[in-house]
Amino acid sequence: MANASEVIDMSTATAAGGYSATRIARRAAWSLNALFWAAFAVLEGVNHGWLAALLAAAFFIAPDLTFLAGLRDAHKTEHGRLPPRAVPYYNAAHRALVPLALMAIYTFTPLAWAPLFAALCGWMAHISLDRALGYGLRTKEGFQRT
């Protein structure tokens, strides 16, 4: 039987890359989530035609267009920092709860337009991929939240 000092806490243990086991597990979960939503978006595009595929692709790209809100101030900010003007738009477009809530509304209302659901799947795929790659929400100053 190991004593308390010999027990390793998996939430603080670090792997070879210096990441905690919790962080690795979280990123792996977001990766699986990204694969799921991307596959679902493709399936919706295949099943419902070119408009569904086009909207899924557009909403996969659209959240990063929020960078354009800070384009005017981009030359004044250091590398890796988002201009503060763009932060509210970026954070709003990168919150997973927004497309999930819209999916729930879509599911439980009589609204039935498949391209809209495909677009929401593309949006969730984008957010999930960002989280899997380590990109999260930003502080009001434009830095990555930790």
Side-chain angles (χ1 to χ4, degrees):
M1 177 97 179
N3 65 30
S5 64
E6 295 173 350
V7 176
I8 298 175
D9 179 10
M10 287 307 291
S11 66
T12 59
T14 57
Y19 295 114
S20 70
T22 303
R23 187 172 182 186
I24 292 169
R26 188 176 298 129
R27 281 198 169 175
W30 277 114
S31 296
L32 292 174
N33 203 22
L35 285 172
F36 172 80
W37 289 114
F40 208 154
V42 169
L43 179 67
E44 289 294 305
V46 168
N47 287 340
H48 300 288
W50 68 269
L51 184 58
L54 180 68
L55 285 177
F59 273 68
F60 184 79
I61 296 166
D64 281 343
L65 295 178
T66 57
F67 289 121
L68 296 176
L71 194 58
R72 182 174 56 173
D73 300 329
H75 67 283
K76 299 179 203 171
T77 58
E78 62 263 26
H79 182 70
R81 181 178 175 205
L82 186 63
R85 171 190 305 268
V87 170
Y89 305 108
Y90 178 89
N91 283 346
H94 285 84
R95 289 194 187 278
L97 196 55
V98 176
L100 283 176
L102 292 173
M103 283 180 187
I105 291 168
Y106 178 90
T107 303
F108 295 111
T109 61
L111 181 63
W113 190 50
L116 174 61
F117 190 75
L120 295 172
C121 290
W123 191 2
M124 273 304 301
H126 175 96
I127 293 169
S128 300
L129 182 62
D130 273 2
R131 295 298 191 287
L133 295 174
Y135 300 114
L137 300 176
R138 302 292 184 123
T139 64
K140 66 181 183 176
E141 294 82 21
F143 295 106
Q144 286 285 335
R145 290 186 185 174
T146 55

